[in-house]
Amino acid sequence: MSTERRGGSRRTSRPQGPVARRAQRPRQAPPRRPAPRSGEQDRDVHVADGVRLQKVLAQAGLGSRRKCEELIAEGHVEVDGVLVTELGLRVDPAKAVVHVDGMRVQLDTSKITLALNKPLGVVSTMSDPEGRPTLADLVKDRPERLFHVGRLDADSEGLLLLTNDGELANRLAHPRYEIRKTYLVTVTGGEFYPRHAKQLTDGVELEDGLARADKVRVVDSVPGETMLEVVLHEGRNRIVRRMLDAVGFPVTRLVRTRIGPIALGDLRAGRSRVLGRTELGTLMRDVDL
């Protein structure tokens, strides 16, 4: 790379960034089909009666059709695991699995995932035979048939995910993917010392087996109360409350603030919002979709 200085300015002859580095490689005519990855058979992912890939990407919110053509030509896009550089490729939006820079793009516009701030007193079900307030009451304006990912007991607050994407819900709930959840927890029981945090991260024996936190830290404390941030990837019933009770710190308030990359943020109690494209793509990537 050569650099020139004139009058205090600096000019670099080599463009910056990964796209620019690709641009410096010798130009070659694009192959008729993408080259196979190691260990894969060369596959043609073109669907003759499908929709042009750049149009599908534009409809999914990746930018203008021209911008999406650039993404394809510069090697950012994979279809069904095959790198695509041809602009003439057509795909079936209902079946194709498309990644841009390694992040899954949801092409099926009928699928939706919501972040919901569950208030106190609401049960984590879509219906309740006892007539208690449910999650369905909070999203009754949505036309989709939604179901919840994970639970919070009626005495707990905070982030829940609702979706009509069954595969995403199944993977988020599966222990294999170890999706971390973050809680702000207020406890009583005296002063909370580092040894108590170590007890929780080393593991606490409960009636249904050992439970271990990934991280515990003190956020704030006043005489008689301590606020903790607790991070763990387990999903057993009332697991945070039971762990803290086991080490002598009963919970008086529990708010879930994060599920994987999705943060509660300033979402008000009882309200919901649709996950953005980047949020959803990151979440899907975390569960290998």
Side-chain angles (χ1 to χ4, degrees), residues 31-239:
R32 186 166 185 81
R33 291 182 294 178
R37 288 180 167 186
S38 176
E40 283 190 346
Q41 295 296 318
D42 190 9
R43 292 186 291 116
D44 188 348
V45 294
H46 181 76
V47 178
D49 59 350
V51 183
R52 287 190 182 274
L53 179 58
Q54 58 265 39
K55 180 177 179 180
V56 170
L57 294 176
Q59 290 173 337
L62 272 293
S64 67
R65 198 172 300 187
R66 176 66 178 274
K67 175 63 177 176
C68 293
E69 289 175 350
E70 292 175 0
L71 289 173
I72 296 167
E74 292 170 355
H76 293 269
V77 183
E78 290 183 355
V79 177
D80 296 335
V82 175
L83 182 67
V84 173
T85 56
E86 294 184 12
L87 296 182
L89 186 79
R90 292 177 178 268
V91 300
D92 181 351
K95 297 179 180 179
V97 175
V98 175
H99 290 80
V100 176
D101 290 331
M103 185 175 294
R104 175 75 176 269
V105 179
Q106 178 57 268
L107 304 180
D108 188 346
T109 56
S110 69
K111 291 182 179 177
I112 190 168
T113 302
L114 307 177
L116 169 73
N117 187 348
K118 188 194 85 67
L120 282 173
V122 175
V123 294
S124 294
T125 60
M126 302 306 286
S127 63
D128 182 63
E130 299 178 25
R132 294 172 294 179
T134 68
L135 302 177
D137 297 324
L138 302 176
V139 291
K140 56 188 176 184
D141 59 328
R142 301 293 317 186
E144 303 88 1
R145 184 168 180 252
L146 300 167
F147 44 93
H148 55 92
V149 179
R151 304 175 68 90
L152 283 171
D153 61 72
D155 296 328
S156 298
E157 310 163 60
L159 183 62
L160 277 172
L161 298 180
L162 301 176
T163 187
N164 60 354
D165 186 337
E167 180 63 19
L168 175 61
N170 288 337
R171 294 202 181 199
L172 286 171
H174 200 290
R176 167 187 174 186
Y177 298 101
E178 297 190 342
I179 299 300
R180 289 188 170 190
K181 303 172 184 69
T182 303
Y183 302 83
L184 276 181
V185 188
T186 303
V187 299
T188 59
E191 189 166 355
F192 191 92
Y193 291 104
R195 70 173 184 270
H196 298 124
K198 188 174 187 304
Q199 276 184 276
L200 294 164
T201 54
D202 285 347
V204 178
E205 193 65 46
L206 303 177
E207 63 272 16
D208 53 354
L210 189 70
R212 182 181 290 111
D214 298 318
K215 177 184 176 182
V216 179
R217 71 179 182 92
V218 174
V219 176
D220 195 11
S221 63
V222 296
E225 276 192 344
T226 303
M227 179 180 287
L228 305 171
E229 181 184 74
V230 180
V231 182
L232 74 168
H233 58 266
E234 293 213 41
R236 282 182 270 171
N237 185 42
R238 299 173 68 88
I239 186 71

Side-chain angles (χ1 to χ4, degrees), residues 242-286:
R242 291 192 291 139
M243 289 176 67
L244 285 162
D245 193 55
V247 296
F249 291 90
V251 172
T252 59
R253 188 182 183 197
L254 185 149
V255 181
R256 183 155 63 198
T257 59
R258 181 177 286 271
I259 298 174
I262 311 303
L264 182 63
D266 58 1
L267 188 63
R268 290 186 295 168
R271 303 296 295 270
S272 63
R273 64 176 180 83
V274 178
L275 294 191
R277 177 176 57 81
T278 301
E279 284 182 305
L280 181 59
T282 305
L283 187 66
M284 296 177 82
R285 182 185 62 194
D286 285 357

